[in-house]
Amino acid sequence: MTEPAPINRRFDEDVHFNSVSPGPPRYRTRTEKPVRYFTVVDKEDGAVLGYLWANDEDDAAAWEPREAAGPRAFREGGIWHARLEAAKGRGILPSQALRELLANPEGNKGRALPDSLTNAPNAAAVETLAKGD
């Protein structure tokens, strides 16, 4: 009779997994459902920089930079995105975040255009608007 093979101690121990945090809470960035959005303009010259939209049903909200505004729109988007993340971190609905940001309209180089809150059929419609002239 042969001796049993030695057990590899590595396989004899319990397996442990380290949990990795998914990062800060975020709203979804796509929805096919209707959204509310407002326009953000440059503080100096009034040029449209982009649009901030939200939808409660899909827990979605995002910044859509206006393509024609170039790098200014992308830089300004960081400010509005951070403000959305902070709102999500407080656990508020996207529509509440939108109202809150519209009530406190100042970004870095941009500001929310008063009375610009309106509806769109979905996020893709806002994206199309941002790609237009």
Side-chain angles (χ1 to χ4, degrees):
M1 187 165 190
T2 62
E3 292 287 320
I7 297 173
N8 184 335
R9 292 272 180 216
R10 269 186 339 169
F11 299 119
D12 194 32
E13 297 173 2
D14 289 335
V15 176
H16 297 279
F17 294 97
N18 291 329
S19 178
V20 178
S21 171
R26 293 188 172 114
Y27 297 116
R28 293 183 60 210
T29 58
R30 299 295 306 160
T31 183
E32 293 303 317
K33 300 194 173 80
V35 299
R36 303 262 301 152
Y37 73 94
F38 64 78
T39 304
V40 175
V41 297
D42 188 288
K43 289 179 185 177
E44 292 179 16
D45 64 10
V48 175
L49 296 175
Y51 307 92
L52 203 66
W53 61 262
N55 167 280
D56 288 346
E57 192 174 348
D58 284 340
D59 194 38
W63 164 259
E64 193 61 53
R66 183 166 174 255
E67 204 169 279
R72 289 184 308 166
F74 287 99
R75 284 191 301 271
E76 184 64 19
I79 301 297
W80 295 94
H81 178 76
R83 293 174 74 187
L84 283 173
E85 276 189 358
K88 177 65 174 173
R90 292 193 321 273
I92 66 174
L93 292 171
S95 63
Q96 291 172 311
L98 203 64
R99 283 192 302 272
E100 191 176 276
L101 296 176
L102 190 55
N104 184 10
E106 298 298 317
N108 185 24
K109 299 279 185 190
R111 63 177 174 77
L113 192 61
D115 301 322
S116 67
L117 186 63
T118 191
N119 300 316
N122 53 40
V126 179
E127 183 178 340
T128 300
L129 177 65
K131 287 182 180 180
D133 291 330

